[in-house]
Amino acid sequence: MTLQLGDIVPDFTQESTHGTIHFHEWIGDSWAVLFSHPKDFTPVCTTELGEVARLKPEFDKRNVKVIALSVDDVASHQGWISDIEETQHVKMNYPILADPDRKVSNLYGMIHPNANDTLTVRAVFIIDPNKRLRLTLTYPASTGRNFEEILRVIDSLQLTDNYSVATPANWKDGDDCVVVPSIPTEEAKAKFPKGIKELKPYLRLTPQPNR
Ligand code: BEZ
C-alpha cells in the first residue's frame, strides 16, 4: 500500500552503522528524515551523504534526526563511509540503515520496479514526533537532492503546525506568510498584531508570526 501524508509510518527493526535501529523508538520525541540511496559506492549518493553530514547541525537545531538507507550491508556501508569522509571532507555523524533483505525499502515503497527492480529510488520521508508522514519526495537515481529544500520544508511544517499560516511559493524562514483561508480577515487582524496585507479577500499576507 502506498504511504500517504498523515499516515503513521511503518515501524521496523533493522541493522545500521550505529547498531540495531528500532525505528519508532529511535525517532522518540524528535522529527525524522529517512532518505534512501540506490546503492553503496555510487557517485551522486556519496555527495548527498556528505552534504547531509555537513548540514547535520541545521537538522539538530530543528530537533530533526536524519537516517539514510542503502540496500547493501553494514560491512559495505563501513567501507563506503571511509570514502565519503575522504572525498567529501566530513565526519559521518548519522546512521545508514543496511537493507540487504529490502525489508525497509519494500515497507516504504522505495523500489519502483519500472525504474529499477532491485535498487531504491531517491526517496525522502519527513516524519513528525507523532510518527506521522508529513512529506514524501521521489527523485530519480540520476538527480541528487537539494537538502536545503528539505530544511526549508521542515521550517514551514514546524511553523504552520503552531500558527494559523501557510507558506507561499519559494518562502524561506523570515519571509511573509499567508493567512489560512479559514480565518476571517477581522479575526486575522486581531490574531496577527504585526498586520495583514489583503491583496484579495482570499490572499492575505502577514509577517512571519514567530519572528
Ligand atoms: C549515483 O549515486 O551516482 C547513481 C546511482 C545509481 C544510478 C546512477 C547514479
Side-chain angles (χ1 to χ4, degrees), residues 38 42-45 122 141-142:
T42 48
V44 176
C45 299
R122 294 186 198 283
S142 52

Side-chain angles (χ1 to χ4, degrees), residues 85-109:
E85 293 185 342
E86 179 194 326
T87 62
Q88 306 304 304
H89 313 291
V90 292
K91 184 93 194 122
M92 277 298 286
N93 45 17
Y94 59 91
I96 309 176
L97 284 164
D99 201 34
D101 59 1
R102 314 301 198 257
K103 180 169 77 185
V104 179
S105 306
N106 285 324
L107 261 179
Y108 278 73

Side-chain angles (χ1 to χ4, degrees), residues 42 60 91 94 109-110 125 134 160-161 163 187 194 196:
T42 48
D60 290 344
K91 184 93 194 122
Y94 59 91
M110 293 168 172
F125 300 88
R134 301 298 299 274
T160 59
D161 276 1
Y163 297 90
E187 190 184 325
K194 291 177 186 165
I196 305 282

Side-chain angles (χ1 to χ4, degrees), residues 9-20:
V9 297
D11 198 11
F12 59 80
T13 297
Q14 190 69 306
E15 292 309 309
S16 85
T17 52
H18 288 196
T20 307

Side-chain angles (χ1 to χ4, degrees), residues 7 31 38 42 51 55 57 63 67 78 83 98 111 129 153 175 195-196:
D7 290 353
W31 291 66
T42 48
E51 179 61 8
L55 289 173
N63 188 32
I67 187 163
Q78 298 294 9
D83 287 2
I111 294 177
V153 177
D175 288 351
I196 305 282

Side-chain angles (χ1 to χ4, degrees), residues 37-39 41-46 48 80 119-120 122 141-143:
H37 296 277
K39 187 124 193 74
F41 300 103
T42 48
V44 176
C45 299
T46 301
E48 289 188 319
W80 188 26
L119 308 182
T120 65
R122 294 186 198 283
S142 52
T143 306

